[in-house]
Amino acid sequence: MTEYNDDRKNWLKDPEIREAYDALEPEYSIIRQTIAARMEQNMTQAELAARIGTKQSCIARVESGNANLSIAFLKRIAAGLGKKVTITFS
């Protein structure tokens, strides 16, 4: 993992790569937070899906970054995890 981190630091020195990386940060933040909250509760994707009335494959798509989330669906995920959604502009 150290090699990856070193490579990542070098890649991010390139302004174009850094711009693209920064543009994707909100999506990756949602993914990281969803996975972390689910793991904290020792919950599987299937269990979360059942709680919010969707399929496990839908949760897998969310966690892999292959879903275009609406705020309403994000709120359902948050509620299933006992959380709430907060959106800020910075």
Side-chain angles (χ1 to χ4, degrees):
M1 192 68 144
T2 303
E3 278 184 47
Y4 170 77
N5 288 334
D6 291 342
D7 288 342
R8 185 174 157 269
K9 287 177 187 176
N10 287 327
W11 295 330
L12 292 176
K13 290 177 185 176
D14 181 315
E16 287 182 37
I17 293 175
R18 183 61 190 210
E19 184 178 347
Y21 179 87
D22 289 344
L24 291 171
E25 177 51 31
E27 287 88 345
Y28 286 121
S29 178
I30 290 168
I31 292 166
R32 282 191 305 271
Q33 290 178 63
T34 300
I35 294 169
R38 185 174 59 75
M39 300 291 274
E40 284 173 5
Q41 298 177 40
N42 295 316
M43 188 184 309
T44 66
Q45 290 179 343
E47 290 168 334
L48 175 57
R51 278 193 187 184
I52 67 171
T54 193
K55 296 180 179 181
Q56 177 273 331
S57 60
C58 185
I59 301 301
R61 282 192 301 275
V62 168
E63 291 185 359
S64 68
N66 292 318
N68 189 5
L69 297 174
S70 68
I71 293 173
F73 192 73
L74 192 54
K75 287 168 63 176
R76 285 175 53 198
I77 291 172
L81 294 166
K83 308 285 184 180
K84 67 178 190 171
V85 174
T86 304
I87 299 172
T88 59
F89 292 92
S90 56

